[in-house]
């Protein structure tokens, strides 16, 4: 780690959005280091999320009685998205993932790439996020 707490191998240029601060508030739901930059809290909460290589969040579910869910807009690098019971999907800048409320999933960086995405929490009635188990290293390390 460098003096400012970021890895020395961070690319010189990533997406044209803020890197943000270390994601300490939600860090217990991640394997590895992530950074969170709030872009807007009006109407649709929007964040730019940066994952160091190998970083991913735990399985989780965005719950809502009506509406809700999450939208991911990939902005840099290579990452992964997986829904429970389905094969993982490789992600690249420009990819968009629409996640309906109630779908158990995870997302994060490839083991050899930094990864960034914009995450939008879709408004709904009585929304919440249920954090679940970590993505097993055995499963994650099989991803190419």
């Amino acid at each position: 780690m460098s003096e400012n707490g970021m890895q020395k191998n961070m690319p010189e240029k990533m997406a044209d959005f803020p890197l943000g601060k270390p994601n300490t508030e939600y860090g217990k739901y991640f394997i590895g280091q992530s950074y969170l930059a709030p872009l807007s809290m009006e109407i649709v909460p929007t964040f730019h999320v940066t994952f160091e290589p190998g970083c991913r969040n735990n399985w989780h579910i965005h719950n809502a009685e009506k509406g809700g869910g999450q939208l991911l807009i990939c902005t840099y690098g290579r990452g992964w998205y997986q829904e429970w019971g389905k094969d993982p999907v490789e992600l690249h800048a420009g990819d968009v993932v629409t996640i309906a409320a109630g779908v158990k999933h995870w997302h994060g960086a490839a083991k050899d790439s930094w990864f960034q995405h914009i995450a939008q929490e879709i408004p709904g009635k009585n929304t919440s996020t249920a954090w679940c188990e970590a993505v097993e290293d055995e499963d994650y390390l099989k991803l190419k």
Side-chain angles (χ1 to χ4, degrees):
M1 293 280 197
S2 66
E3 290 177 19
N4 64 3
M6 296 179 205
Q7 283 196 355
K8 292 178 183 176
N9 65 349
M10 178 182 287
E12 194 171 309
K13 173 79 172 144
M14 290 193 276
D16 288 331
F17 291 96
L19 175 69
K21 297 180 181 177
N23 189 5
T24 55
E25 184 176 348
Y26 294 97
K28 63 185 172 186
Y29 304 118
F30 284 70
I31 293 174
Q33 182 63 56
S34 65
Y35 302 87
L36 191 61
L39 300 179
S40 176
M41 297 307 290
E42 298 176 24
I43 304 173
V44 178
T46 303
F47 301 88
H48 193 240
V49 186
T50 301
F51 300 82
E52 291 183 348
C55 178
R56 69 264 187 199
N57 52 33
N58 289 4
W59 289 97
H60 59 286
I61 304 165
H62 300 279
N63 293 307
E65 288 180 22
K66 183 177 181 181
Q70 187 177 44
L71 179 71
L72 305 178
I73 303 168
C74 304
T75 59
Y76 177 86
R78 191 167 67 89
W80 293 98
Y81 168 78
Q82 185 177 13
E83 292 181 4
W84 190 259
K86 295 184 179 180
D87 290 334
V89 176
E90 188 171 335
L91 300 175
H92 301 273
D95 290 340
V96 176
V97 180
T98 303
I99 308 160
V103 174
K104 187 174 182 179
H105 67 283
W106 69 270
H107 37 99
K111 58 188 166 215
D112 60 351
S113 177
W114 286 78
F115 180 62
Q116 295 178 303
H117 66 54
I118 292 171
Q120 293 186 316
E121 300 296 325
I122 306 305
K125 181 178 179 185
N126 293 327
T127 60
S128 65
T129 301
W131 290 98
C132 307
E133 68 274 16
V135 176
E136 295 291 334
D137 285 341
E138 181 180 334
D139 296 326
Y140 176 79
L141 293 174
K142 289 179 189 174
L143 301 173
K144 302 287 181 204

